[in-house]
Amino acid sequence: MSMDASRLASAAADAYAAEAKPPLTEELVAKVRDALLAAFHETDAAAETDRLERLNAALDAFETDLDAVAGPRIASLDETSATVTTQHRSEAGQPLRAFGGQ
């Protein structure tokens, strides 16, 4: 899992950085990658939705810490191809929830 987690964390960090405003420095991209990797390791047995929630919570914490960056949230993650899709947050600036609307 660890090699996959590293690959997926990098893919997720790159997808986030591609749409983050303002653009992230390499140092900040590395911080995002580390935060996402830590979220992957919280538990390997978790359901996919739990993992996405943990990854997005890591992004929330990263943005809260910096108080200067806003970016998309992870909508899906394909472990086989390391393909990540993102979704933007609602106009109110709150993370989009998987259910219950905005």
Side-chain angles (χ1 to χ4, degrees):
M1 169 72 185
S2 61
M3 190 177 100
D4 281 350
S6 180
R7 197 168 128 242
L8 290 170
S10 291
D14 290 345
Y16 173 82
E19 297 185 65
K21 302 279 190 274
L24 300 181
T25 63
E26 282 303 311
E27 184 182 341
L28 290 178
V29 174
K31 278 189 176 178
V32 171
R33 188 178 306 118
D34 290 346
L36 293 172
L37 189 55
F40 269 109
H41 288 303
E42 281 177 31
T43 172
D44 288 351
E48 182 66 19
T49 52
D50 292 342
R51 177 162 42 183
L52 290 177
E53 284 174 18
R54 287 199 317 276
L55 294 175
N56 287 323
L59 292 175
D60 289 343
F62 170 76
E63 289 182 3
T64 301
D65 269 1
L66 278 182
D67 199 26
V69 174
R73 291 299 175 262
I74 299 165
S76 70
L77 190 62
D78 183 311
E79 292 194 36
T80 311
S81 62
T83 301
V84 177
T85 60
T86 59
Q87 64 188 10
H88 283 282
R89 301 195 289 174
S90 69
E91 292 306 306
Q94 294 299 313
L96 294 172
R97 296 290 171 216
F99 44 83
Q102 299 183 28

